[in-house]
Amino acid sequence: DICQDINVHVPESRALLPCCRCKNLGKFGKTFYTHGRFSGYVKSGETLLVLSGKNTLLRALCSHLNDTDELYGTVSLNGVPLPKYNQSWRRMCAYVSADDGTHSPVLTVGETFEFAAQCIARDNVTQQEIDDRVNFVLEGLGLSHVKDTVVGDENLRGVSGGQKRRVTVGEMLMSTTSRVLCLDNITDGLASTDSFSLIQQ
């Protein structure tokens, strides 16, 4: 099992999920929202689609909860329970946020990937290995032709919305230790053709 009886309590000011239930936790003197009980498993090589409450659930599964969030239940890897904050699991489980606005707009796609790779690279990794990884992900996501194009934002023209979404995904794929991908709203706002292309790649 990857998770069993998962409940996540989130402070009211941050609980924006309409699927969550409101619960008064008395002794805290505040109203918290809770992501209801959830149990399930994912086998190696499988893809799981979550349609409701996905943001909080995905963050709970890959140990990316905020300090103010409270996790109840068990997240397991091959039957071994994992603590709430587990750095080894975080390195194995890449979380791709739904937000594409975290990139530096003046960096090119290639520079964005290279910077991400350098941030997580081990001390003994060579520049050639980083370059090879960048080119591998660029080709895999169909972004090789925009390698030298700036990411851009609302003030600087850059790659398209679909390409920027793939940049967000690719940035997290720079890690060679990732074995599980938690992808939050990766097709949100994309045309059907862009969504299909991203899922395929």
Side-chain angles (χ1 to χ4, degrees), residues 54-150:
K54 51 195 175 297
N55 179 275
T56 304
L57 177 61
L58 290 177
R59 289 191 296 109
L61 293 180
C62 60
S63 294
H64 276 73
L65 289 173
N66 298 307
D67 292 338
T68 54
D69 297 337
E70 297 182 30
L71 173 66
Y72 300 90
T74 304
V75 178
S76 304
L77 176 64
N78 294 331
V80 179
L82 300 171
K84 179 179 177 181
Y85 300 108
N86 187 297
Q87 292 302 319
S88 296
W89 174 236
R90 288 185 65 150
R91 286 191 290 270
M92 292 179 60
C93 186
Y95 173 67
V96 179
S97 169
D99 184 12
D100 291 329
T102 58
H103 306 294
S104 172
V106 298
L107 292 181
T108 66
V109 174
E111 290 169 341
T112 299
F113 284 2
E114 182 177 354
F115 178 71
Q118 289 173 340
C119 286
I120 59 178
R122 302 182 306 276
D123 293 337
N124 59 346
V125 174
T126 66
Q127 184 60 44
Q128 184 60 51
E129 289 176 313
I130 290 177
D131 292 341
D132 290 343
R133 181 66 179 176
V134 169
N135 291 327
F136 174 77
V137 175
L138 283 169
E139 183 176 353
L141 292 175
L143 293 172
S144 297
H145 64 292
V146 293
K147 176 181 179 179
D148 297 320
T149 303
V150 296

Side-chain angles (χ1 to χ4, degrees), residues 147-163:
K147 176 181 179 179
D148 297 320
T149 303
V150 296
V151 175
D153 58 12
E154 63 274 8
N155 299 314
L156 177 64
R157 185 174 181 179
V159 296
S160 68
Q163 291 167 340

